[in-house]
Amino acid sequence: MEDIIDRVSDVIAKLYKGEPLTEDDRVYAIAILQVVLKHLKSWQDLTKKIEELEEKVKMQDEKINEMIEYENELKKKLKIAENKLLILEKNVFLLPKN
């Protein structure tokens, strides 16, 4: 395993320095690039999914906020209706006679 790691390190160093590669080095370089591209694609897919989830969460947060506002409006209307009912109960003469 150490031999493989050393070999990969040497190939990466040669690529970085711009040195010519032997046929074996090219095989290692291609393998390295394939692994990097595979993980890069996976990373891009994950990034895209995270962005989609963030958008969904944002939309749900907006819906929750709208529902909270609506609930607060309903509570206010209910309180007003309760107050009117209390007034009418205490002042029965204000009710229509029918």
Side-chain angles (χ1 to χ4, degrees):
M1 186 67 172
E2 287 183 28
D3 293 338
I4 294 172
I5 293 172
D6 289 340
R7 185 75 175 175
V8 169
S9 297
D10 291 341
V11 170
I12 291 173
K14 285 181 180 180
L15 285 170
Y16 182 75
K17 293 177 185 176
E19 296 177 2
L21 300 175
T22 64
E23 191 63 34
D24 288 342
D25 290 345
R26 288 186 191 129
V27 171
Y28 276 95
I30 290 170
I32 292 168
L33 290 173
Q34 286 176 338
V35 168
V36 168
L37 289 175
K38 178 183 175 187
H39 288 289
L40 182 61
K41 184 177 184 311
S42 298
W43 181 259
Q44 289 171 341
D45 290 344
L46 286 173
T47 303
K48 184 177 177 181
K49 287 180 183 179
I50 288 172
E51 288 173 358
E52 289 172 1
L53 286 173
E54 287 175 342
E55 186 64 30
K56 286 181 182 178
V57 167
K58 182 180 175 184
M59 289 172 46
Q60 288 180 353
D61 282 346
E62 290 173 1
K63 286 182 181 179
I64 289 171
N65 288 336
E66 288 174 9
M67 292 175 74
I68 289 172
E69 287 178 26
Y70 184 67
E71 179 185 18
N72 289 336
E73 288 175 24
L74 289 178
K75 284 181 180 178
K76 287 178 187 177
K77 289 179 181 179
L78 178 63
K79 187 68 175 171
I80 291 169
E82 287 174 345
N83 288 339
K84 286 181 179 180
L85 182 61
L86 284 173
I87 291 170
L88 289 174
E89 285 175 352
K90 291 183 180 182
N91 300 301
V92 179
F93 60 89
L94 294 175
L95 291 172
K97 300 211 179 210
N98 298 349

